């Protein structure tokens, strides 16, 4: 109770404290003190760390008691304890970036600089988000569950669920994958009599994705932007595609950020809500952000400017999919007075590896600059080998692996890294030929045909207006419905402007179809209707088994 009253006094008297309900903060704090035994300091925005303190201005500790501050080098501690204002952390490869992000998030919460629900933490992958949440939970307890933590797309999707109606969608909208996106574009291109051999749907999909990555909606494009793609009809098809997505209550991945940008720019009250709630923002892999992500962050951070971006301009490798290294290069001009911390001590590589990498990257013209060093010894020298082709390379690599095995190495200690998935083929063929066991890492579970089929069934059950899901499963498994029957279904759906599943309901009550086709559609509709009734009364795992059986 003493702790509770002391925290209440501080929250009510401290004018620089958070703009949150003091009672809510105190109750939340006491609950976690009891559960996690976290020691909270009571001085204003300061966490005690031995005989010195680490404040939000970045004072580096000489002796620490908090576990997340122990073992940090000077620059890491500087980044962790600089909590207010814009901060750019230039983190070279192997310099402990993940640890810094984790420790900084723990420091924000434990120092009472920010309540968990006032923090937005953006990662580049779902795996990174999970790992950060697990690490911070170990440090400060379950309070991290209330931090808004995830990838750009995951966070934007959560926001869009709350404001879907502002862009013409419902909160239960479907997120299309690449396969569904291409099938929808193919339909639109066929209607416009586009030569699909010359202009495959994936080409138009890539162009639309590039526009969305730049935050460009169809109405913001001019005729000069269209180029010659799809005979100059790419903008028209983009507009038709967006309209069709609204009819399907669907969005693709690019829409998640694009829609939220539109909402923020069109509805100031929505933006103000998130600005007042998310007062501290942390971003990982900032060098790989695209224009849409950059604009989304700038809007959210424009009020409080407590933005910490971690990245490395020397590791920007996703320009081919819209990443703008210029985002990190102009951080200091975007946020005047920003502090920059350079993490330069490498804990991962030997001296020779680091020297070779630094020598190569120093030739880049547009970079902020870092000087990486390591306390690890020089190690073995690098070896560069040239081969005539992929098969020749695979033979040599397999031979070296066999040599390592003879020297007593285990297969689990050996890895072959490739730049693209197609490059694994030569290695797999060679390993199979010599009987060398191997495992390919990185197979995408959700891109397998059977998984897409199962997901399509669930989508149609959850949303009967999902025409793309209907098209995927109407003959999966084979039901004997020919092209003529499917064409009749499409024609009726277009004529009445109704979903394909609804069109089958009208057709089975008419004489337009042959008796066998009518019976097949009746059975299909009965099956879907039965599952629709069951989905809310059976737990998801059991329901999925029912559908698959």
């Amino acid at each position: 109770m003493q702790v509770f009253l002391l925290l209440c006094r501080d929250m009510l008297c401290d004018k620089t404290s958070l703009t949150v309900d003091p009672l809510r903060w105190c109750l939340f704090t006491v609950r976690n003190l009891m559960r996690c035994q976290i020691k909270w300091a009571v001085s204003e925005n300061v966490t005690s760390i031995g005989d010195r303190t680490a404040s939000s201005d970045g004072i580096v500790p000489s002796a620490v008691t908090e576990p997340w501050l122990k073992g940090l080098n000077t620059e890491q501690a500087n980044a962790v304890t600089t909590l207010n204002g814009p901060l750019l952390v230039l983190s070279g490869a192997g310099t402990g970036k993940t640890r810094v992000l984790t420790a900084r998030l723990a420091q924000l919460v434990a120092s009472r600089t920010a309540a968990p629900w006032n923090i937005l933490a953006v990662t580049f992958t779902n795996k990174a988000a999970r790992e950060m949440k697990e690490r911070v939970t170990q440090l400060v307890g379950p309070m991290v569950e209330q931090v808004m933590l995830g990838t750009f797309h995951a966070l934007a999707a959560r926001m869009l669920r709350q404001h879907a109606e502002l862009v013409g969608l419902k909160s239960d909208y479907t997120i299309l994958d690449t396969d569904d996106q291409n099938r929808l574009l193919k339909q639109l291109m066929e209607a416009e009599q586009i030569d699909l051999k010359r202009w495959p749907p994936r080409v138009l999909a890539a162009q639309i994705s590039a526009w969305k990555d730049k935050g460009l909606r169809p109405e913001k494009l001019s005729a000069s932007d269209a180029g010659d793609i799809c005979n100059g009809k790419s903008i028209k098809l983009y507009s038709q595609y967006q309209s069709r997505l609204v009819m399907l209550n669907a969005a693709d991945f690019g829409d998640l950020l694009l829609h939220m940008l539109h909402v923020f720019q069109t509805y100031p009250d929505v933006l103000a809500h998130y600005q007042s709630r998310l007062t501290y923002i942390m971003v990982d892999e900032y060098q790989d952000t695209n224009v849409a992500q950059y604009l989304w962050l700038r809007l959210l951070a424009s009020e409080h400017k407590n933005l910490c971006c971690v990245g490395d301009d020397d590791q920007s490798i996703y320009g081919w999919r819209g990443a703008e290294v210029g985002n990190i290069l102009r951080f200091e001009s975007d946020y005047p007075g920003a502090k920059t911390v350079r993490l330069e001590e490498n804990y991962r590589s030997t001296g020779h590896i680091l020297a070779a990498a630094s020598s190569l990257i120093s030739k880049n013209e547009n970079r902020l600059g870092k000087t990486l060093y390591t306390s690890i010894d020089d190690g073995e020298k690098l070896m560069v080998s040239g081969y005539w082709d992929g098969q020749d390379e695979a033979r040599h690599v397999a031979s070296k692996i066999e040599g390592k095995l003879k020297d007593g190495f285990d297969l689990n200690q050996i890895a072959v890294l490739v730049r693209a998935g197609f490059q694994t083929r030569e290695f797999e063929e060679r390993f199979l030929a010599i009987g060398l066991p191997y495992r390919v890492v990185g197979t995408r579970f959700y891109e397998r045909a059977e998984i897409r089929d199962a997901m399509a069934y669930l989508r149609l059950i959850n949303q009967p207006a999902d025409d793309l899901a209907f098209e995927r499963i109407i003959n999966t498994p084979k039901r004997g419905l020919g092209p003529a029957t499917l064409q009749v279904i499409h024609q009726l759906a277009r004529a009445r402007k109704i979903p394909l599943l609804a069109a089958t309901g009208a057709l089975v009550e008419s004489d337009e179809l042959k008796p066998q086709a009518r019976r097949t559609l009746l059975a299909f509709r009965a099956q879907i209707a039965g599952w629709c009734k069951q989905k809310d009364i059976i737990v998801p795992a059991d329901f999925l088994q029912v559908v698959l059986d």
Side-chain angles (χ1 to χ4, degrees), residues 515-530:
Q516 180 59 43
R518 289 174 61 192
R519 286 193 293 270
T520 299
L521 288 177
L522 275 170
F524 176 74
R525 287 180 54 81
Q527 194 174 44
I528 297 296

Side-chain angles (χ1 to χ4, degrees), residues 153 160 169 173-178 181 185 205 208-209 212 238 241-242 245 250-259:
H153 289 101
L160 189 57
L169 299 174
Y173 65 85
T174 299
I175 301 176
L176 300 187
D177 59 22
T178 302
Q181 183 183 10
L185 287 172
I208 291 175
S209 178
K212 291 183 177 183
Y238 180 16
Y241 172 68
Q242 293 301 101
L245 287 176
D252 61 28
F253 280 99
D255 282 325
L256 301 177
L257 277 162
L258 186 71
H259 283 328

Side-chain angles (χ1 to χ4, degrees), residues 11 17 39 43 50 84 107 142 178 206 253 330 348 360 378 400 409 486 492 498 506:
M11 286 299 301
S17 295
K39 297 181 180 179
S43 56
N84 291 318
Q107 183 75 4
T178 302
F253 280 99
R330 63 172 174 266
R348 180 189 303 161
L360 284 174
D378 288 341
K400 289 180 181 179
F409 283 82
L486 298 178
L492 182 63
I498 58 176

Side-chain angles (χ1 to χ4, degrees), residues 460-473:
L460 187 64
I461 293 165
N462 185 60
Q463 196 162 203
D466 192 335
D467 287 351
L468 294 174
F470 175 91
E471 290 174 338
R472 185 174 188 92
I473 66 173

Side-chain angles (χ1 to χ4, degrees), residues 78-349:
N78 197 4
V80 168
T81 56
T82 300
L83 303 180
N84 291 318
L87 171 66
L88 176 62
V89 180
L90 286 177
S91 176
T95 57
K97 173 196 68 174
T98 302
R99 184 180 180 187
V100 166
L101 282 168
T102 303
R104 192 174 188 276
L105 182 52
Q107 183 75 4
L108 273 171
V109 176
S111 66
R112 291 190 301 113
T113 302
W117 51 85
N118 292 133
I119 301 172
L120 173 67
V122 188
T123 63
F124 200 67
T125 65
N126 289 315
K127 180 182 178 182
R130 288 193 299 270
E131 290 179 352
M132 185 180 295
K133 181 174 289 188
E134 290 170 359
R135 292 190 186 189
V136 180
T137 299
Q138 292 173 358
L139 294 173
V140 299
M143 64 180 68
V144 73
E145 292 294 332
Q146 298 200 41
V147 173
M148 199 167 181
L149 171 62
T151 65
F152 278 102
H153 289 101
L155 294 169
R158 285 173 57 184
M159 291 180 175
L160 189 57
R161 298 284 180 195
Q162 302 297 318
H163 309 286
E165 72 283 354
L166 299 180
V167 293
L169 299 174
K170 300 176 183 177
S171 60
D172 62 346
Y173 65 85
T174 299
I175 301 176
L176 300 187
D177 59 22
T178 302
D179 184 58
D180 286 333
Q181 183 183 10
N182 286 332
R183 286 197 294 122
L184 178 54
L185 287 172
K186 180 181 178 182
Q187 295 173 9
L188 297 173
M189 293 168 71
E190 287 176 338
E192 290 291 328
Q193 298 182 334
I194 303 296
D195 184 353
L196 298 182
K197 291 185 178 179
R198 183 182 179 191
W199 301 110
R202 67 176 182 275
V203 174
L204 179 58
Q207 179 60 73
I208 291 175
S209 178
W211 282 330
K212 291 183 177 183
D213 286 344
K214 294 179 180 178
L216 297 173
R217 293 160 61 89
E219 61 270 21
K220 291 186 178 181
L221 296 168
S222 62
S224 62
D225 295 314
D228 62 348
I229 296 178
C230 297
N231 304 327
K233 294 182 178 181
S234 56
I235 296 177
K236 179 182 179 181
L237 288 165
Y238 180 16
S239 181
Q240 292 176 351
Y241 172 68
Q242 293 301 101
S243 299
R244 188 81 173 104
L245 287 176
V246 171
M247 291 177 60
L248 293 170
N249 191 33
D252 61 28
F253 280 99
D255 282 325
L256 301 177
L257 277 162
L258 186 71
H259 283 328
M260 283 313 302
L261 269 181
H262 176 71
V263 170
F264 285 165
Q265 294 166 344
T266 310
Y267 301 93
D269 56 323
V270 177
L271 175 60
H273 164 74
Y274 285 104
Q275 287 176 334
S276 63
R277 176 189 170 189
L278 303 173
T279 54
Y280 286 82
I281 301 174
M282 295 170 55
V283 187
D284 190 13
E285 305 289 5
Y286 191 60
Q287 78 280 353
D288 290 325
T289 54
N290 58 38
V291 174
Q293 294 164 343
Y294 167 81
L295 294 173
W296 183 78
L297 285 170
R298 286 212 69 180
L299 287 169
L300 288 171
S302 60
E303 180 67 22
H304 297 279
K305 295 183 174 59
N306 294 318
L307 174 65
C308 171
C309 292
V310 180
D312 183 4
D313 51 319
D314 293 335
Q315 295 188 64
S316 181
I317 60 173
Y318 289 108
W320 56 275
R321 68 180 188 190
E324 293 281 349
V325 68
N327 294 346
I328 194 171
L329 295 177
R330 63 172 174 266
F331 184 88
E332 292 175 327
S333 60
D334 284 341
Y335 301 94
K339 181 175 181 177
T340 299
V341 175
R342 286 174 167 80
L343 306 183
E344 298 176 312
E345 183 174 0
N346 180 286
Y347 296 95
R348 180 189 303 161
S349 304

Side-chain angles (χ1 to χ4, degrees), residues 481 483-493 495-496 498 502-519 521:
L481 297 173
T485 300
L486 298 178
Q487 185 177 9
V488 172
I489 296 172
H490 276 89
Q491 289 174 344
L492 182 63
R496 297 190 182 183
I498 58 176
T504 63
L507 286 172
V508 296
E509 297 176 0
S510 69
D511 297 326
E512 294 186 51
L513 299 177
K514 294 180 180 179
Q516 180 59 43
R518 289 174 61 192
R519 286 193 293 270
L521 288 177

